[in-house]
Amino acid sequence: MSFFKKIFSSEKKETLDKGLEKSKTSFFTKLNKAVAGKSKVDDDVLDNLEEILVTSDVGVNTTLKVITRIEERVAQDKYLGTSELNKILREEIAALLSETKSGEETEYTIPELPKQADGSKTPYVLMVVGVNGVGKTTTIGKLAYQFKKKGLNVVLGAADTFRAAAIDQLQVWADRVDVPMIRQEMGSDPASVAFDALQSGVNQNADVIIIDTAGRLHNKVNLMNELTKVKRVMQKVVPNSPHDVLLVLDGSTGQNAFEQAKQFTAATEVTSLAVTKLDGTAKGGVVIGISDQFQIPVKYIGVGEGIEDLQVFNKYEFVDSFFK
């Protein structure tokens, strides 16, 4: 298939290969055991493969789709050898991901927006959601760094006012990346902070405004009401904002990440995903399952601690690294 004929930047690809090492090693150790002593793909191999995909956190529904695709390939070629299984898996998972909007980009980009009523530039407003501890603040900091590196003016808004630590942590990133951050005291109204951040961003001719929000899932109704209010208030400053609602998920939590995605997509309209901490886990298959099941584009993946190690998710690069 022509999926893998793209030329990837070698440095980015090396980081991705390294970041997925644990997932890949775990997967292939299981796969090699499953096909040991077998020369062709039979029902036993397919049963074992199904179990391997599920235990690699690809998820049951996505696994069943992959197995069905491979069964169709086996039916076409009765003598399909186990030596070809890796190649077929790679092709079929790439084909499955091609059915979603996920992972076409290779660079950090923001869309060009129509000018505001007064003729001024419309800043791109990104609202970031996710529970505490998933790497939300770190993702915001790394995104700010990447956008600034591209020559864009970035403003941060600390609307996670529920925890003082969240405000302080975001301030550390704002200082590190050298971008302005709008903050109020802990316990302030998050919508008020978002309003101030957008006004400040417009006044500073910002290209991108990133708003952090609180991630309390224990009361979904409160979360839903709060996020709805934040959006409504932002729209008073920049109509149609936020332009993107990015849900950050911790890839190392595997199936728990699926559960969080379900909860947040029920509480607010999520338009893109970032899956973090893939370098420290063998659960990298979760990206494949989440991308397929939620039909929400995975935009970014975290494959290391470094400031450059948040990458734009490209499905071809990902599958190539995972099945290399």
Side-chain angles (χ1 to χ4, degrees):
M1 289 194 179
S2 61
F3 290 131
F4 302 102
K5 286 184 182 167
K6 299 179 181 251
I7 297 168
F8 310 134
S9 98
S10 58
E11 202 178 314
K12 180 186 172 191
K13 193 64 168 56
E14 272 170 35
T15 306
L16 183 59
D17 288 348
K18 195 167 161 235
L20 294 178
E21 193 62 47
K22 284 187 181 173
S23 294
K24 190 170 71 175
T25 304
S26 165
F27 184 83
F28 281 112
T29 302
K30 293 175 191 168
L31 188 63
N32 289 337
K33 277 186 191 164
V35 300
K38 299 269 189 184
S39 59
K40 73 184 189 98
V41 178
D42 57 16
D43 288 347
D44 278 353
V45 169
L46 287 171
D47 285 347
N48 288 336
L49 178 60
E50 186 174 324
E51 190 181 330
I52 291 164
L53 289 167
V54 171
T55 56
S56 299
D57 287 279
V58 170
V60 175
N61 294 335
T62 304
T63 292
L64 293 175
K65 285 187 191 177
V66 173
I67 295 295
T68 301
R69 285 169 174 270
I70 291 172
E71 281 173 341
E72 285 166 7
R73 293 281 288 265
V74 172
Q76 284 166 18
D77 182 351
K78 296 277 189 286
Y79 301 100
L80 204 59
T82 50
S83 58
E84 295 160 284
L85 189 55
N86 175 31
K87 176 174 167 283
I88 291 162
L89 258 175
R90 185 175 138 176
E91 289 174 354
E92 293 306 332
I93 287 174
L96 186 69
L97 292 182
S98 292
E99 292 169 8
T100 78
K101 301 171 283 183
S102 235
E104 295 291 349
E105 296 284 340
T106 53
E107 296 291 329
Y108 286 86
T109 55
I110 57 163
E112 202 169 314
L113 299 168
K115 286 196 163 34
Q116 302 225 61
D118 62 0
S120 63
K121 176 169 63 183
T122 302
Y124 183 73
V125 181
L126 171 59
M127 183 166 92
V128 184
V129 300
V131 297
N132 301 332
V134 294
K136 186 160 54 89
T137 312
T138 304
T139 299
I140 292 169
K142 290 179 179 180
L143 276 175
Y145 167 78
Q146 292 288 357
F147 287 134
K148 189 179 178 193
K149 201 168 85 163
K150 289 188 83 72
L152 300 170
N153 292 331
V154 184
V155 170
L156 303 182
D160 182 355
T161 57
F162 188 65
R163 297 178 308 135
I167 301 170
D168 293 341
Q169 198 186 352
L170 195 63
Q171 186 70 62
V172 168
W173 274 103
D175 294 344
R176 184 178 174 187
V177 179
D178 192 23
V179 295
M181 181 181 109
I182 308 306
R183 61 183 288 172
Q184 292 180 15
E185 293 305 307
M186 180 188 160
S188 304
D189 179 11
S192 166
V193 180
F195 183 85
D196 286 355
L198 263 64
Q199 274 207 320
S200 177
V202 168
N203 292 340
Q204 293 179 57
N205 205 28
D207 299 293
V208 186
I209 304 170
I210 307 176
I211 305 292
D212 188 15
T213 61
R216 307 188 302 284
L217 263 183
H218 62 263
N219 188 333
K220 202 163 69 185
V221 175
N222 283 357
L223 177 75
M224 196 183 298
N225 292 342
E226 187 175 284
L227 293 177
T228 303
K229 182 181 172 189
V230 168
K231 282 182 178 179
R232 194 172 61 242
V233 167
M234 286 199 287
Q235 285 166 5
K236 290 178 180 174
V237 187
V238 178
N240 302 316
S241 64
H243 304 103
D244 191 7
V245 178
L246 177 71
L247 170 62
V248 182
L249 299 167
D250 177 350
S252 70
T253 61
Q255 290 306 299
N256 195 27
F258 274 91
E259 196 47 46
Q260 285 174 21
K262 269 189 210 162
Q263 297 278 325
F264 269 99
T265 49
T268 191
E269 187 194 0
V270 173
T271 51
S272 63
L273 302 169
V275 185
T276 65
K277 307 186 189 182
L278 290 171
D279 55 308
T281 180
K283 297 175 184 284
V286 75
V287 175
I288 297 164
I290 282 174
S291 179
D292 170 57
Q293 287 302 300
F294 290 95
Q295 296 293 303
I296 296 168
V298 175
K299 259 196 187 170
Y300 309 107
I301 52 172
V303 287
E305 296 292 318
I307 200 163
E308 297 270 5
D309 294 340
L310 181 75
Q311 294 194 355
V312 171
F313 173 66
N314 178 281
K315 56 195 163 202
Y316 307 112
E317 288 179 336
F318 184 86
V319 174
D320 189 66
S321 286
F322 198 94
F323 291 100
K324 201 170 178 182

